[in-house]
Amino acid sequence: PLILAVELRQLFAAMADCNCCNSLGSSPAFQLLLSIAVVILFLLIGIYGISIIILSNWDLSGFDFSDEWQSAADFYVTSQDLAYWFGAIVGVLWLIAICSRCCAPCCCQLSDVQCPCSPCKTFHMLDAPFFIGVLIAVWPVNMIRSQRDVPWTEDNNVFHTEGFILFTDAVLVIGLLILLVAIPSSFVKWRKMVSGGPRPQAAVPAPAVPATAVGPPVVVATVVGSGNDNAQSGAV
């Protein structure tokens, strides 16, 4: 118990000093993890989109629910579950990344992570496709998944209309396109972080200013030769 208390105390002290955010925000290993997670998320949501296309183009005019249709429906459910749960994992990584790279540098003085707002550089903008793409791509998956097992009632009828389904499909396509941009940008940032990346500049002390006299100038007059003149006059 004593060792655990000491470790917890050290952890809380590190969190108070923003050491955790500084380590995560400047870690190339964490950036590589985000890059791989973006690739997997893009593939899973892309497979989920393919399952939507298969079911949307299935001919059910004769109400022929054959084994092939059941296999396609199972493929849709499985791909949706995989995209949903892995999206939840990426959501945790997304929260950690935005706290350590956007919130903490602006609120605390981190030694290895620059504040992305002062000024915003290309190095900081490489995170933008990841932050935006994950939000847009995961939202329709979560929305449809949450309504999948809900009974059709008058209160949630809007979620089962054709217009809402088309809207979520359009958002899904936009999210996939942004994730496609996030893949190369994430790996580019990883390469930049491996090579060093930008660091916060240390405060440069102001140059010393020499002291100057303040006030009107003082004139000192010196009388020379008055004593010699008096001696000569006394001798005469």
Side-chain angles (χ1 to χ4, degrees):
L2 181 60
I3 298 176
L4 180 60
V6 172
E7 292 180 353
L8 289 176
R9 181 179 179 182
Q10 293 177 352
L11 176 61
F12 291 145
M15 293 176 64
D17 295 337
C18 295
N19 289 334
C20 293
C21 293
N22 184 67
S23 300
L24 288 173
S26 60
S27 173
F30 182 67
Q31 178 60 35
L32 181 60
L33 177 63
L34 294 180
S35 304
I36 297 174
V38 170
V39 175
I40 299 176
L41 183 64
F42 174 80
L43 293 176
L44 291 179
I45 295 182
I47 294 173
Y48 169 64
I50 294 174
S51 68
I52 294 177
I53 296 174
I54 293 175
L55 283 184
S56 300
N57 295 327
W58 202 278
D59 186 12
L60 295 177
S61 58
F63 296 97
D64 184 15
F65 298 99
S66 60
D67 294 338
E68 295 181 358
W69 183 89
Q70 187 62 41
S71 299
D74 293 339
F75 173 64
Y76 167 80
V77 172
T78 303
S79 61
Q80 186 184 70
D81 289 338
L82 289 175
Y84 173 80
W85 289 111
F86 191 77
I89 297 174
V90 177
V92 176
L93 298 177
W94 180 93
L95 185 62
I96 295 174
I98 201 169
C99 288
S100 61
R101 297 181 180 179
C102 296
C103 300
C106 297
C107 300
C108 306
Q109 185 67 31
L110 302 185
S111 59
D112 297 325
V113 184
Q114 285 184 335
C115 179
C117 302
S118 57
C120 185
K121 301 178 180 178
T122 305
F123 181 78
H124 304 132
M125 291 302 297
L126 291 173
D127 284 330
F130 169 76
F131 290 144
I132 299 173
V134 170
L135 283 179
I136 297 179
V138 170
W139 178 81
V141 179
N142 294 345
M143 182 62 66
I144 298 299
R145 172 66 170 73
S146 62
Q147 297 295 323
R148 190 178 69 188
D149 300 327
V150 177
W152 191 326
T153 61
E154 293 294 334
D155 296 333
N156 63 358
N157 187 28
V158 64
F159 298 108
H160 299 279
T161 59
E162 183 178 359
F164 182 78
I165 294 175
L166 290 176
F167 172 72
T168 55
D169 291 343
V171 174
L172 187 68
V173 172
I174 295 174
L176 282 174
L177 293 176
I178 301 178
L179 284 181
L180 187 61
V181 178
I183 293 174
S185 67
S186 298
F187 281 102
V188 168
K189 180 158 188 178
W190 170 66
R191 290 295 301 171
K192 287 182 175 294
M193 294 179 72
V194 169
S195 61
R199 292 288 187 271
Q201 296 181 355
V204 179
V209 179
T212 58
V214 179
V218 178
V219 179
V220 179
T222 303
V223 179
V224 181
S226 58
N228 296 333
D229 295 340
N230 294 333
Q232 292 176 0
S233 61
V236 174

